[in-house]
Amino acid sequence: MKKSKSLIFYFFFIFFLSIQVNSNELNKKEYDCLVNFLTNLGKISNVGKNEKTFEYEFCNPFFVSLPTEIKCNQGSITYLDTVQSNISYIIKDELLCFDNINYFLLSNINYDSAIFFNSFPKSLNKVILTGTNLQFSKVTKDLQTLSISIISQKIPTTLKFSWFYKTTQFILSSTSFSSNKTHSIAFENDLKDSEIWETNYFNIISLNLPKFNNVKGFVQIELIEGYNQTSWSNIKEIGNVTNIYIRTNDLTEFPNDHLSNIRSDSIEKINFEVPFKSVKKMCDLSSIGKSIQIISFSKCGRDFSFNGLMPIILPNNQDFQYFFLIGGYIKNFDILQYKSAEYITLSNNLMSGTLPSINSFKFGKLKYIDIGFNLITGELDDSYCEFDIIVNNNSMTGLIPTCFTCFFGLTELNLKSRFIGNNFTNLDQPSSPSIISPNLIFSNIEIFQGQPHYKYYIFGENLGGAWIDESNAEIIGFDVKFRVIKPNKLISLYSLSSFSSIVTFSYSRINSNYRFTLSADLITPKLIKVEWVSNSQDLAFEGFYFSYNKSIINISIGDVNCQVTSSTFYNINCTLLAPIDLTLIDIVSFITVGNLTTQFTLNPGVTNNLLYCINGCGGNGICFSDIGKCKCDSTHQGDDCSLPYIECPINCTNLSVCNNVTGECSCPSFLIWSGIDCSFPLHTISAVSPSDINGGSASIYGWFGNIHNDPQVFIGTKQCIPIYNISESEIICKAPPGTGLKSVSVIQNSINVTSKDIYQYYSNDKQCPNHCTSTSNGICNTTTGYCNCIGRWSGYDCSLYSNPSGGGDNSGGLPGSNTTIDGNTGNTNITLIDFNGNQINEYLLLNKWSIISNISKTVYTFNQSIQNDKCNITYTIEEVNKDRDVSFAGINFKLTSGSVKMTVSIENYQYSSNLNTLQLQMKSSVNEIQINHEMNDCNNDQIEINNTPNQYNSLNYITIKKDAKVLNGRFIDRIESDGISTFMQTVLVSKSNDSITVGMNLPHCTKKCLLDPDFSVLVSPEFVDECDNDRKSFFLPVVIVVPIVFLILIIIFVVITIKKRYVEIIIINKNLINRIHFKKFLNIFQTNPNIHFLFFKNKSTLKILKFVRPYTK
């Protein structure tokens, strides 16, 4: 049954294949050509016919018999291989009939060379011919391969390079033993300078060695028996050949002079398989070229020697690696001759004698030596561990060094075969792999095989030889390439990824005895436990980051060395070289692996479980390992002894303490002292009492201490001299004449302190803003520069008039258009400023205010603390009910009824530097709110914001005008600094279409800064009492938000009528208001004629709502 199924499948497969092949029938032209061609060759009988069509089945392999083979594709011949039986037929241009033929093979060919070699189709790439007494001609078409095998060539024939230089691979070979009697073939290099033969394989038989100038690539020549040996003179014309291989059986005179004259930076490999006669002098190949890598002499004969020495001076270029000399004669092994190579093979050279001890440092490149199949006697000493060596089949005795036998356990590598055929006594005695001592270190990232790789090195002792590669060795879990740099000493590793902290290196994938734990991290050895057996000199260490190389491990217990007997990454065993008193405790000990040292303490005769000290005490103290604590030496301190300990050389004064880290006195930040012993005052300037513009006596206030070495005072750039008096709090000197605003510098004790823009020369004739508009509006106080307004005129320049008359009634309710002038404080703050104007610190005070007192129905005081309650900020707001004259900081001015007076006090601010100051900011803005949908269009107007500086570039006034309502803000350019009146500059911080922010630059107040701005809301003369829509009344809420220091929100709703302007205040329980929605509150206001002013505190936001009921005519 199974047999019948197999037959069915076989016939089905044949049928299917025949269908597939027949579907690829030749086109008629090529069919006819092939019929004629095979008929003329005498091979048409190799092709069967279709029984139905009676046509030849060229494309069906089941109809084509050997030696003919045909392949077709899409109706064309692509491959044709056959034998010419009809030798009388001469082939000419028959191949041109096959448009797509790629491969043509013909044995026993007979052709007209002049026509045949010029009649290759464009598609033809490979031509392989066999024949006798062939003629040749120039090949005009580029070919990938032209291979000609000559049975015999008794007709003397010279082939020219120019005939074949368009072929990439050119082969001219013989089917039988060749001699000058059977193959009379020679070559001539007739290439012109413009004709370059680039070949990847040039393999010929020849009676001569031609020149190879203008040839690039690989060249192989078999010199026929009886060849012209004088043609060796052409070897120096090697051109751009990269690899040349010459072989012959003729005993040849060594072409010493010709080889010594080869100069080419293209040649990489030279291989001579030639029996040479004895060499008359050394052949110097040291300067052959910078690219040479391999030189090989094989089957060179026993005469190939120079006085018993290897007769070649090897190249000394950097890339030279391999030298082979096989089958010659070398009397003794002189390793100095081979120091410029990396790998040498000197097998079967009758080499005798013993191997000398060698120093590998004299042979920097040499790492592989094969001297097998010689007559060497004696022993192989340990000096050869630094080479990858093969010494099989000699007469050596003694022991194989353990650097080799330790790997005999890797049976899959059969490394013993390198030493067989001698009389070594330990050939069958593998040594322990414990003597293998690898260490790992990271090198760098470099390009390897076209990709960036992490490069590591394994270094140490007994690491193995060139047999180490990725087929057997591995870093477990990583894709690694291995390169042996120095046998048994150094191996490079290339990995696409970085290694983890601890990795496993394995020489074998089947033998776990050859696995080693390594780390590339440079970490000091970590100790976990030390087992010290009582009454024993032996210690056993457990931990990690040790080493397999016991020679780089040093252990001392007290002053006694402990000699390491074995070690791994995790364990060390050592023996004390002298007894230790067992009554001692906490013996200070050290373990060093390479250059990394860990200090620890031990108690003798017990098991010591060790605790790690922070940073190992940094080498600046003793780590008591039983408790894991450091005891620092006299010059260090801290938990890990990383901080220096330095005594101050002098006594520290003024409550300062010695900073034992720097060895200097540390002056407390809350005291104003400096110097190495904190004895010099770190003085400050808080206020000045200036002279007039003519100069004269001036007082500088602050804190100046009681030591005044070389005191100097400068006002601007001019010195204030003489100094009449200097005390702890005041300096009196004679100011030079001047004008405007100046900075003041006080220098003493080599310390310079400057207060910027604090000294204002005063004049007895100050100008007022806008000259107070007119003499009917106000009178200018030329001492202060402020206007004293007359009658109902008001404003900073007396330009606003309060008209007591007006009209309107309250019928129709509240109109809908309302203007809000507020001080939204989202971006305001108090900032600490350094001398250069840079912000150092800021304090967010939003929603932190608390009411501390209600002095009266019109005065409220608020407070909060910053700097951990060290600095207090007090804010007082007062609603002015009637006009009154007031005085602040020596300035007299008038407060008008309806204005808001504010006082800000900043006490005991703790400065980080005596050059720092504070800036206090206030922001005011204008917004629209809607209470009804009806508009008061007759007073609608654009927002106007203006600021007016005084003659000292200090901002004195701001005005915000909207819909004929005006908010005035006045900033007195005086401040009380530590109880003394002094100048204060106000500057514009920012200004936009609907807001303005000003900053007040405060002096360096150490106790208290007190300032006193005020605001008022008025109606401008342009205000229209009655609008065209006959509304008899209107509602005007004005909101003023005054940010003091930071985010305090003081809102004042002012409802002003034109008929009557006055204020009445009623306080309503805040809990009641908190429960009332704002719309309900408006209803309460409308229905309760007794409520004229409403105040409440919601969360931490103070709101004062002031309403004035509208009156009828």
Side-chain angles (χ1 to χ4, degrees), residues 817-819 928 939-942 961-965 1023:
S817 178
N818 307 279
T819 304
E928 289 286 341
N939 287 299
N940 278 354
D941 201 354
Q942 298 296 317
K961 182 177 180 182
K962 178 71 173 78
D963 300 344
K965 281 81 73 176
F1023 187 81

Side-chain angles (χ1 to χ4, degrees), residues 869-917:
D869 296 332
K870 293 179 181 178
C871 174
N872 293 317
I873 302 173
T874 303
Y875 168 71
T876 302
I877 180 170
E878 177 186 358
E879 173 69 22
V880 180
N881 290 328
K882 61 181 180 179
D883 296 352
R884 75 172 188 265
D885 294 325
V886 295
S887 177
F888 175 77
I891 301 296
N892 299 320
F893 55 94
K894 180 179 180 180
L895 291 176
T896 59
S897 175
S899 62
V900 179
K901 179 180 182 296
M902 291 171 292
T903 302
V904 182
S905 172
I906 305 174
E907 299 180 73
N908 299 320
Y909 185 85
Q910 306 296 305
Y911 295 92
S912 58
S913 168
N914 61 333
L915 297 177
N916 295 344
T917 57

